[in-house]
Amino acid sequence: MPSNYSRSGGLDSRIIEDGDTGFSKYNDRFRPDQLDPGTLAYSQNGRMEINGEWRLRKGIDVFSSPVVSPSNALTLPFYVYEDVDSTSVSDPDGSGKITITFGSDHSFVNNTLAFVSGITGLSPTFEDRNYIITVVDSTNISITITGATGTAGGTATVGAPRIEDNIITRIFGSLYYSDPNTANDNYVFLATNSKVDFIDLSDGSTGSIGYPNGRTLSGQVEMLQAFNKVFIFEEGKVPLVWKGGDLQPEVATFTWDAATDNYNVETLPVDYFEEVETGDYTQPVRLGDNGNNTVISDNVVTVDSTDHGLNVGNEIVVVDAGGSQLEEGEEYVVASIPDDDTFTFYAEKDNDSSHNSHFTKKVSVSGGYAHMPAPRFATYHNRRLWMPWEYVPTSAGGYDPHTDNDGNQIRDELIASDILDHDTYDQIFNQFRVNAGKADRIVGMLSFSDNQLIVFNRNSIHLILKPDRAAGVTDLRNYSTQLLTSEVGCSARRSIVQIGPNIFFLSDSGVYGVGFQDLYNLRGNQVPLSEPIQGTINRINRDAADKAIGLYFNNRYYLAVPLDDSPVNNAIIVFNFLNGGWESLDTIPAEILPLGTVFDIENMFVGGDGDDRAIYIVNETGALHKLEARENGKDNLITFIGQAGPVEYDIQGVARTRQYTMRDLNRKKFRELELHLESNSNNAVDIDISGIFENPDATTDIGSIFSVTGSILSANEDISLRTRTGNQRAYGMQVEIKNTQGEPRLRAAKISAIVDFRSTISAD
């Protein structure tokens, strides 16, 4: 009997085979029996290299966790205790320990937080707040107040911990910062409610920068580096600016003072964040000292002007030539600032000296200048800050909503700063209304080139175009706006990424990846780039989709998204440009983490140099993690503020093949499975193998490397694993592997079967 037949006779059953010799992408939109060879039906926490193998992604590792809260901070997880009154309270002993006694068994858990109130007679006066409790026995607990003395009285009430003011409970924003004055200094800024912590990526050292007295953050913020400064934008509130300085580790030490219920700054930072100017804008003053203040030499004009307050790039106007070759009304750009009392600019004039000329910064020719609005975010483009114009400064120093004639707040208008001046905004000639008259707010902007700013609205995309050469472009009057499409918009500002001539962004229809020229032809019926993984896209929580974040690194587009009911980004989908397809859905399931916690992605960015150049992830708990940094099949994570140290978790990797039908619609009897597997050079490997059958539907446990061979796969080895599938009858079969040890690599899969029920006579 030929070897490729199961039996001989009139209705010979030939053994048929199907399989893949490599894998390049996954597709969860089509039925698994419709997929092309080399396409997986599902890939979780995997990567597909150009050699065609699927491998487990490398693990995430903690890089730094500088954000800490005092010991009485309410952090996850915590216990919601019922209030229990004491029967007695002991006097503090020499260490300040106080024992609280109850009339019956309590339910408190050792070394947890509880809110304690009602104790009297102590010095200093007892504070009603959260304390770490120690369980003495079933009816007694203790708390410790260092330095406490006196005779304890009153009735202690012990119950659930409470959120207290000035406790750091999360990160409100973050930024990758590169020091413009050094070659390799790269930092991560973490904005908490009471200060900004920073981490030096070169050595992991940390420090802090404070806020102005009395200023805290209370909600989500955006951070931006521009003009060698760092800005913090909190919608509707006065923006903060740090004007740069020498970031030295440990420049500030913040300690919790229980007596004042606040932080004490033991070592002041060199520089603090400041609030930007608000209130009425003072028009530019006359510049130029009295006397012979202007000298022209080799086309360089040097002007003496005490405390001029100018910056390089500021525009100035000649208001009084003073007998020099300059002409009144001429506009120039400041070229250098030799000192606080001198500035220079270039002018094609003959050498001249000893003239009393006067200048001003450019004066608004319309409704007057204004200080910075209070935007949700801003974008640096063409030496200006561009931002949504949704709030206007008031004379009292605050902000009011920017409204139309009917009193509705405007959400589709932009305003741009003066060149290299974050504090000056022309309210008429430097503003643009995009898609006026429609409910279509601004979501984000992309500085595509020096001449082109792309504005992404919620339901449309626009272009602001600078003329190549035109007079008077400094006030933006000659800029133009164009509607690119009104059928597709952007749902997440931070998902917008430029990769060469292509632009990627998340919309309601999925992820679009289009060339700039394609934007002119983009319509709602164009197939999005994410069409092959529509099953994953459908899981995105639409109420939190605006938090999605995209970036490009190592020939891949990474997009962090909130899946299912998550209010935060809890997964990353990865597009591989070399393979031309989506290769993984990266997740850390909440069920393996401590109760009530999640590994969220507040921000991510590419940073570092050399071997340290990688994707860094910031989560709301204040930890900085490095993506794809470990090779042992485990993630090393911090998931809540106050965690004593990182904890290792097994990476939950899954590779599910397409459905193997042998290109035959008949029912088959599946006989054998062959997998080509490999381990890395550092770790041994084992996997669980399952068979997923359709018509009739069934899932069977096929085994593992250990159960088939009697041992796991050693490090730096490969194997051709052959095993029986149980003779399951079905129309098609998928193979699913899950890692249980190490970093497995799947190189090929093959299934053999015979066609079943081939008789032309009905079976009774």
Side-chain angles (χ1 to χ4, degrees):
M1 176 179 71
S3 62
N4 61 342
Y5 284 79
S6 66
R7 61 180 181 269
S8 59
L11 294 173
D12 289 345
S13 297
R14 183 170 62 88
I15 296 175
I16 53 180
E17 297 177 341
D18 199 354
D20 293 308
T21 58
F23 308 94
S24 62
K25 54 191 171 184
Y26 89 96
N27 182 313
D28 63 8
R29 178 176 180 268
F30 292 158
R31 294 199 323 258
D33 62 336
Q34 295 177 313
L35 300 180
D36 296 328
T39 301
L40 293 174
Y42 183 67
S43 172
Q44 177 178 303
N45 291 319
R47 296 291 182 267
M48 286 173 255
E49 308 294 354
I50 57 176
N51 62 4
E53 67 182 19
W54 179 94
R55 65 166 176 84
L56 191 73
R57 67 165 171 82
K58 295 181 180 180
I60 301 170
D61 199 10
V62 173
F63 184 84
S64 180
S65 182
V67 178
V68 296
S69 278
S71 59
N72 64 323
L74 177 60
T75 59
L76 294 174
F78 61 87
Y79 290 83
V80 184
Y81 298 122
E82 292 185 1
D83 286 347
V84 182
D85 291 338
S86 69
T87 56
S88 64
V89 179
S90 75
D91 296 338
D93 64 13
S95 65
K97 184 174 74 172
I98 300 169
T99 300
I100 302 172
T101 302
F102 304 99
S104 59
D105 290 351
H106 60 72
S107 60
F108 298 113
V109 178
N110 187 53
N111 199 35
T112 59
L113 278 181
F115 188 84
V116 184
S117 62
I119 299 177
T120 62
L122 299 184
S123 178
T125 302
F126 180 82
E127 297 179 74
D128 296 345
R129 63 173 177 84
N130 296 333
Y131 291 87
I132 296 176
I133 60 174
T134 299
V135 173
V136 178
D137 54 39
S138 62
T139 59
N140 292 274
I141 66 171
S142 67
I143 62 175
T144 297
I145 307 174
T146 302
T149 59
T151 302
T155 299
T157 301
V158 184
R162 304 178 186 180
I163 297 177
E164 300 183 359
D165 294 338
N166 298 315
I167 300 295
I168 298 175
T169 56
R170 53 161 289 190
I171 295 296
F172 291 103
S174 57
L175 171 73
Y176 174 69
Y177 172 80
S178 58
D179 190 335
N181 299 314
T182 61
N184 298 312
D185 285 351
N186 302 297
Y187 300 86
V188 174
F189 282 24
L190 306 175
T192 73
N193 57 303
S194 61
K195 59 190 172 77
V196 170
D197 289 307
F198 63 80
I199 305 166
D200 189 335
L201 293 184
S202 65
D203 57 14
S205 58
T206 63
S208 302
I209 307 174
Y211 297 143
N213 289 335
R215 179 67 187 270
T216 60
L217 304 183
S218 58
Q220 194 70 28
V221 302
E222 294 291 339
M223 303 181 72
L224 174 70
Q225 180 179 358
F227 307 143
N228 295 338
K229 302 177 179 68
V230 173
F231 298 89
I232 298 178
F233 301 108
E234 188 174 8
E235 181 178 358
K237 297 185 179 181
V238 181
L240 299 174
V241 57
W242 177 67
K243 297 180 180 180
D246 187 14
L247 285 175
Q248 296 295 327
E250 306 296 333
V251 296
T253 302
F254 291 77
T255 58
W256 182 256
D257 187 342
T260 62
D261 199 31
N262 208 331
Y263 283 95
N264 285 336
V265 182
E266 295 181 349
T267 305
L268 292 177
V270 176
D271 295 289
Y272 266 68
F273 276 87
E274 303 172 3
E275 291 188 337
V276 301
E277 292 290 332
T278 58
D280 292 333
Y281 189 95
T282 302
Q283 286 290 345
V285 298
R286 189 179 181 94
L287 301 172
D289 294 337
N290 292 326
N292 299 323
N293 58 27
T294 303
V295 176
I296 304 175
S297 176
D298 297 330
N299 296 325
V300 177
V301 182
T302 302
V303 181
D304 295 330
S305 181
T306 303
D307 294 330
H308 52 70
L310 296 173
N311 295 307
V312 173
N314 286 160
E315 299 164 16
I316 57 171
V317 180
V318 181
V319 294
D320 183 354
S324 71
Q325 298 180 56
L326 301 173
E327 297 181 14
E328 294 180 8
E330 287 182 329
E331 298 179 5
Y332 295 97
V333 176
V334 175
S336 69
I337 305 293
D339 54 57
D340 292 342
D341 302 322
T342 311
F343 64 89
T344 72
F345 60 89
Y346 300 118
E348 295 181 356
K349 307 292 183 180
D350 294 335
N351 291 350
D352 203 354
S353 63
S354 302
H355 291 287
N356 188 24
S357 304
H358 291 278
F359 312 82
T360 67
K361 292 178 65 174
K362 189 180 175 186
V363 179
S364 172
V365 296
S366 55
Y369 286 137
H371 292 298
M372 180 185 286
R376 292 174 281 125
F377 69 94
T379 298
Y380 180 75
H381 169 70
N382 199 20
R383 299 181 297 163
R384 304 174 187 267
L385 287 183
W386 299 70
M387 59 192 64
W389 194 16
E390 300 168 337
Y391 297 88
V392 293
T394 64
S395 58
Y399 292 91
D400 285 336
H402 181 36
T403 58
D404 59 20
N405 292 333
D406 296 324
N408 300 310
Q409 186 170 11
I410 296 173
R411 296 287 189 177
D412 59 357
E413 193 165 351
L414 292 175
I415 192 166
S417 74
D418 204 354
I419 292 177
L420 298 177
D421 184 354
H422 72 271
D423 189 47
T424 304
Y425 296 79
D426 190 312
Q427 300 180 82
I428 299 297
F429 291 118
N430 284 9
Q431 61 82 26
F432 298 87
R433 192 85 183 264
V434 289
N435 229 21
K438 296 187 178 181
D440 192 17
R441 61 183 173 86
I442 294 170
V443 172
M445 290 171 275
L446 175 68
S447 179
F448 188 78
S449 70
D450 184 57
N451 289 342
Q452 298 164 328
L453 178 71
I454 303 175
V455 182
F456 293 82
N457 279 22
R458 190 65 181 84
N459 301 306
S460 58
I461 303 175
H462 305 259
L463 178 68
I464 295 180
L465 183 64
K466 169 189 172 184
D468 289 333
R469 295 191 181 278
V473 297
T474 55
D475 58 17
L476 307 186
R477 279 177 288 182
N478 291 310
Y479 281 52
S480 61
T481 61
Q482 295 176 241
L483 173 67
L484 297 181
T485 178
S486 60
E487 298 183 34
V488 174
C490 179
S491 58
R493 180 183 67 82
R494 293 190 293 174
S495 73
I496 304 169
V497 176
Q498 180 182 346
I499 305 173
N502 298 309
I503 300 169
F504 290 74
F505 61 94
L506 179 65
S507 74
D508 288 335
S509 302
V511 179
Y512 278 92
V514 296
F516 176 72
Q517 295 302 321
D518 295 333
L519 283 172
Y520 285 94
N521 303 311
L522 189 61
R523 294 294 182 266
N525 60 358
Q526 181 167 328
V527 177
L529 181 73
S530 58
E531 177 267 341
I533 58 166
Q534 193 61 42
T536 301
I537 296 300
N538 291 340
R539 294 176 56 192
I540 295 177
N541 180 3
R542 301 299 175 185
D543 292 334
D546 61 303
K547 298 181 180 179
I549 308 165
L551 59 76
Y552 174 77
F553 180 69
N554 195 24
N555 297 307
R556 290 177 170 92
Y557 174 63
Y558 296 79
L559 181 65
V561 292
L563 290 187
D564 305 321
D565 297 327
S566 175
V568 295
N569 295 324
N570 62 344
I572 301 174
I573 51 178
V574 185
F575 184 87
N576 188 318
F577 284 92
L578 298 181
N579 293 341
W582 297 91
E583 68 178 347
S584 180
L585 171 63
D586 291 355
T587 64
I588 300 173
E591 55 266 23
I592 71 173
L593 301 175
L595 181 64
T597 68
V598 64
F599 185 77
D600 68 284
I601 303 163
E602 190 279 331
N603 200 0
M604 62 180 185
F605 34 75
V606 177
D609 292 298
D611 293 338
D612 290 329
R613 189 158 183 81
I615 295 175
Y616 291 86
I617 292 175
V618 175
N619 49 9
E620 289 186 355
T621 60
L624 180 67
H625 292 82
K626 189 176 181 181
L627 196 66
E628 300 192 57
R630 315 178 87 224
E631 296 187 0
N632 63 349
K634 297 178 182 292
D635 292 322
N636 197 40
L637 310 176
I638 286 180
T639 56
F640 59 91
I641 292 178
Q643 184 172 325
V647 177
E648 284 191 339
Y649 301 94
D650 291 331
I651 300 174
Q652 310 291 297
V654 179
R656 188 181 307 141
T657 69
R658 64 186 175 94
Q659 191 174 90
Y660 299 123
T661 64
M662 289 69 176
R663 295 167 295 281
D664 190 303
L665 293 178
N666 291 299
R667 185 178 297 183
K668 276 79 66 178
K669 182 190 291 185
F670 289 89
R671 295 163 52 92
E672 293 183 348
L673 163 67
E674 181 175 350
L675 298 177
H676 289 199
L677 299 162
E678 186 179 3
S679 61
N680 65 17
S681 59
N682 300 316
N683 301 284
V685 160
D686 202 1
I687 60 172
D688 283 337
I689 309 169
S690 301
I692 303 172
F693 300 92
E694 181 181 351
N695 193 18
D697 298 343
T699 299
T700 63
D701 180 10
I702 295 176
S704 64
I705 297 176
F706 181 84
S707 67
V708 173
T709 67
S711 64
I712 62 177
L713 183 61
S714 300
N716 203 29
E717 293 287 345
D718 58 8
I719 188 174
S720 178
L721 186 70
R722 297 182 178 89
T723 184
R724 306 284 293 182
T725 61
N727 290 325
Q728 178 75 31
R729 288 180 171 87
Y731 157 66
M733 174 185 175
Q734 294 174 269
V735 180
E736 181 176 276
I737 71 166
K738 296 181 179 180
N739 65 298
T740 58
Q741 182 175 340
E743 289 187 349
R745 302 184 180 195
L746 176 63
R747 298 164 58 183
K750 185 178 72 173
I751 293 290
S752 64
I754 60 173
V755 177
D756 210 9
F757 296 137
R758 299 188 66 218
S759 173
T760 58
I761 302 173
S762 299
D764 296 328

